[in-house]
Each structure stands twice: as structure tokens, then as C-alpha cells.
Amino acid sequence: MKRIVISRTDNLGDVILTLPLAGVLKREFPGCYILFLGKKYTKPIIDACEYVDEFLDWDEIKQGMNKKGWRKEERKLKADVILHVFPVKKVQKFAKKSKIPLRIGSSHRWYSWLYCNNLVHYSRKKSNLHEAQLNLKLLKPLGIKEEYTVAELSGLYKLTKIPESTNIQPSDRERFNLILHPKSKGSAREWGLDNFSKLIAILPEDKFCIYITGTKEESSLMKDFLVQHHDRVTDLTGKQSLAELLAFINSCDGLIAASTGPLHIAAALGKRAIGIYAPMRPIFPERWAPIGKNATFLVMNKNCDACRKTENCECIRAITPEAVLEKLQGYLIQQ
């Protein structure tokens, strides 16, 4: 296996949890060349991984196919094998037309039977394995059947190529530089701005320097919250590109968020990452917890099915700011 394509063209957190797959491939096939097919906006994260040799921009390839036809774009996927970690019909069709000899996908997508020539039978929805572990199931046709623990996978990110920050740096190295990322762009159940407000109120000012991150759109949703805490926090919402956010998280000490991309970035970088989760399949922490040597999570031990049809999950909101503070104080003791 000389040239291997990993295809994961969905969201940031999913992409981060796929990076250990590249580490396993490098370990099993020394000298192999790893190409990662992803969305344009995830490029800074993929570029930071030392296990990935080349990024392939699916957005650019799609645009090229629409304008020039398939033939010119097919050359970009010149490889021995492609792993369809996130199955997309158009990607699978493109890989087949590119004549990649071994095309591995899940049997749980009907179009995989048309475009893949090696299918793996497993269910993500009903599994108790972590997402990062489930990704490794696709390696079975390559003869890799070893089961990796979550702890083992935490050492296979290798985000060593962090861009230099051209933006804001933490201003106080004497205090714990803590990022709060309250929103999730709809990708997760949220803890709520009221809980983040209560947490800010009980965080000792002499020990914590607080930053708020989020997109420009999320900034407008948090307008009153940001005004309320303007004298205590530094507002970075809408002010950083993904590359700049990556560099900033790397320069801070910890981050608190729901199951979002920034949480998984912090965990992958070895930061003190605290995830706040709902106890609901398939979004529960057994499947999506942050993976890292200093990562942890909070979740209520209860049945959450009553919240399934609403975005306002009482089970995640019931996690107290005091419980989060207790986790943070544990980190302070370790410093």
C-alpha cells in the first residue's frame, strides 16, 4: 500500500477523530503516502497532522468536475486504496471513475454496493465503540484487525505542524488561560449561556483568564451574553480563522465546550479539555468524547430519551457550573 486516500468530507470534529486512522496506517505501512480528501475549511487541521502527506480539496474537485468534466480531476485521486470513512455517493463514484484498485466502504450504504469493491459490515449507530475506534473497522480488508483503545488512539494525532499565530496571544501567563466555546453551530446539544454565565461568576479572577470563541454568526447570538461579561472575558468570536483558532488553542491551557470541533482540537493538542454532553445515543460521550491525555467530560447518569425531540436538553443543562469548576480546580492542582 503506497498511496492511500482517507475520505472524510464532513465536519471538523469528525475529521479530527479520523486523524488517528492516518497514524495507524503509517505504523502498519511504513513509508506509505497518505492523502486526506476533505472539505476546504478543514484544511488547516489536516495540514497540521504530520501523518498526512497531502490534502485533497473536495470542494475544489467538485467545482472542477462541474466545469471541466471528470477526466482532469480524476488524476488527483491516483492511489492504491481509498477508505470511505464518511460515505458520500458522489465521492465513491468519483473514486471508481478514478480507477483506484481497492475501494473500501461500509455495507450500510446502498451506493457502496455500486462503487466500492470491498465492503465492511458494521453498524455505527448501534455500536458502543468510540467514533475513532469505529473508523479503524475499515482497515480490516488491509489485514489490520488490531483493536486500539481510546487511550492508545490519543497518542496518534500528531498535530505537530501548528501554524504560527498571527492573531491574539494569551496576555497573562500567570493565570490559567481558559477558552469557553458556548455554541455548537447546531452540531451538538448545548449547555446554555445561562450556565456559562454562572461558571464565569464562580471562576476565581486571580486564577483564570477567560476567552470566548465562536463564529461571527454565533457572536450575534451571544450579543447580550458578551456585553454582560465584557469586563471579565476577552471576546474573540468572529475574529479568528480556523488556522488562527488552532494556534490560539495551542497557546492556551484549557477549553470547555459541548461536543464541537474546538473541543476535539483542544483534546488532540493535549490541552485540558472538558466536554459537556447529553446522555443520549448516538451523541453520548461513549461515541464522541474528546480523546486526549488531559481530556475529560461531564454527563448526567440518566435516561435522556425525553429530550430527543427537542433541542433544549434538560439533561445537559442539569450539569452544574460547580461540577465544571471542580474539574478545573483538579487541573490547577496538577499544574
Side-chain angles (χ1 to χ4, degrees):
M1 296 297 143
K2 294 181 180 179
R3 290 174 64 86
I4 303 171
V5 177
I6 298 172
S7 175
R8 184 109 206 197
T9 58
D10 51 346
N11 298 321
L12 185 60
D14 309 276
V15 166
I16 295 163
L17 293 176
T18 304
L19 294 178
L21 175 63
V24 173
L25 286 168
K26 286 287 189 179
R27 177 179 292 181
E28 297 290 337
F29 302 112
C32 70
Y33 191 86
I34 303 292
L35 305 97
F36 199 112
L37 181 67
K39 287 183 177 179
K40 184 189 295 289
Y41 91 99
T42 63
K43 185 177 187 296
I45 294 296
I46 297 166
D47 284 345
C49 178
E50 71 175 61
Y51 291 134
V52 177
D53 300 292
E54 183 178 345
F55 172 76
L56 296 174
D57 185 343
W58 176 238
D59 297 314
E60 183 181 272
I61 291 173
K62 279 195 301 183
Q63 187 177 29
M65 289 191 306
N66 294 335
K67 289 183 177 180
K68 306 166 188 173
W70 295 80
R71 190 173 299 277
K72 184 176 180 180
E73 298 301 321
E74 286 169 10
R75 302 190 189 108
K76 296 182 180 179
L77 278 190
K78 185 178 180 183
D80 301 299
V81 59
I82 183 168
L83 302 166
H84 292 287
V85 183
F86 178 64
V88 177
K89 180 182 176 182
K90 197 165 187 176
V91 176
Q92 290 189 355
K93 183 178 180 181
F94 179 57
K96 183 174 182 179
K97 288 178 71 71
S98 299
K99 298 179 180 172
I100 295 178
L102 183 54
R103 304 179 301 280
I104 302 171
S106 167
S107 64
H108 283 230
R109 293 293 187 274
W110 66 265
Y111 43 82
S112 295
W113 294 80
L114 296 178
Y115 302 118
C116 297
N117 56 11
N118 203 307
L119 299 177
V120 182
H121 308 281
Y122 69 103
S123 171
R124 288 179 182 265
K125 187 175 182 180
K126 297 180 180 180
S127 176
N128 288 322
L129 292 176
H130 194 279
E131 179 72 6
Q133 294 174 304
L134 287 168
N135 293 335
L136 302 186
K137 294 289 186 182
L138 291 177
L139 297 179
K140 188 175 180 180
L142 302 180
I144 303 172
K145 301 178 182 179
E146 182 181 350
E147 298 272 341
Y148 283 79
T149 66
V150 169
E152 289 171 330
L153 292 176
S154 71
L156 292 174
Y157 284 116
K158 291 294 182 181
L159 295 182
T160 58
K161 299 184 288 184
I162 307 298
E164 291 186 14
S165 176
T166 58
N167 203 293
I168 302 168
Q169 286 286 321
S171 57
D172 189 344
R173 291 297 179 184
E174 297 300 318
R175 292 186 287 172
F176 188 102
N177 288 287
L178 175 66
I179 298 171
L180 303 182
H181 193 86
K183 306 299 288 183
S184 69
K185 294 177 66 176
S187 66
R189 300 302 173 99
E190 295 178 0
W191 193 37
L193 294 178
D194 54 338
N195 276 320
F196 276 102
S197 286
K198 293 173 185 176
L199 177 63
I200 292 170
I202 63 175
L203 287 173
E205 193 167 355
D206 62 328
K207 294 182 179 179
F208 291 94
C209 190
I210 306 170
Y211 302 87
I212 309 295
T213 57
T215 65
K216 185 178 180 180
E217 294 74 19
E218 289 170 338
S219 179
S220 63
L221 296 174
M222 296 190 289
K223 184 178 179 180
D224 293 341
F225 169 82
L226 294 169
V227 170
Q228 178 186 353
H229 300 291
H230 74 279
D231 60 339
R232 183 68 206 280
V233 308
T234 300
D235 175 19
L236 300 180
T237 57
K239 299 175 182 177
Q240 295 175 308
S241 66
L242 180 56
E244 290 167 336
L245 177 62
L246 173 61
F248 185 71
I249 292 174
N250 192 48
S251 65
C252 286
D253 300 300
L255 183 146
I256 298 171
S259 181
T260 62
L263 174 69
H264 294 294
I265 291 174
L269 290 170
K271 302 300 173 179
R272 279 86 170 172
I274 301 176
I276 303 178
Y277 284 77
M280 182 193 303
R281 283 178 176 269
I283 61 175
F284 62 154
E286 284 82 352
R287 172 78 179 274
W288 294 104
I291 295 180
K293 64 179 182 179
N294 292 311
T296 187
F297 62 86
L298 288 164
V299 65
M300 298 293 288
N301 184 18
K302 60 177 295 189
N303 187 300
C304 191
D305 287 342
C307 304
R308 192 170 293 277
K309 294 183 179 180
T310 175
E311 292 184 5
N312 184 16
C313 177
E314 294 181 5
C315 302
I316 190 171
R317 293 181 186 276
I319 296 170
T320 66
E322 288 77 15
V324 178
L325 176 60
E326 185 178 350
K327 290 279 188 182
L328 287 169
Q329 288 174 329
Y331 287 139
L332 289 177
I333 293 172
Q334 295 172 15
Q335 282 189 320

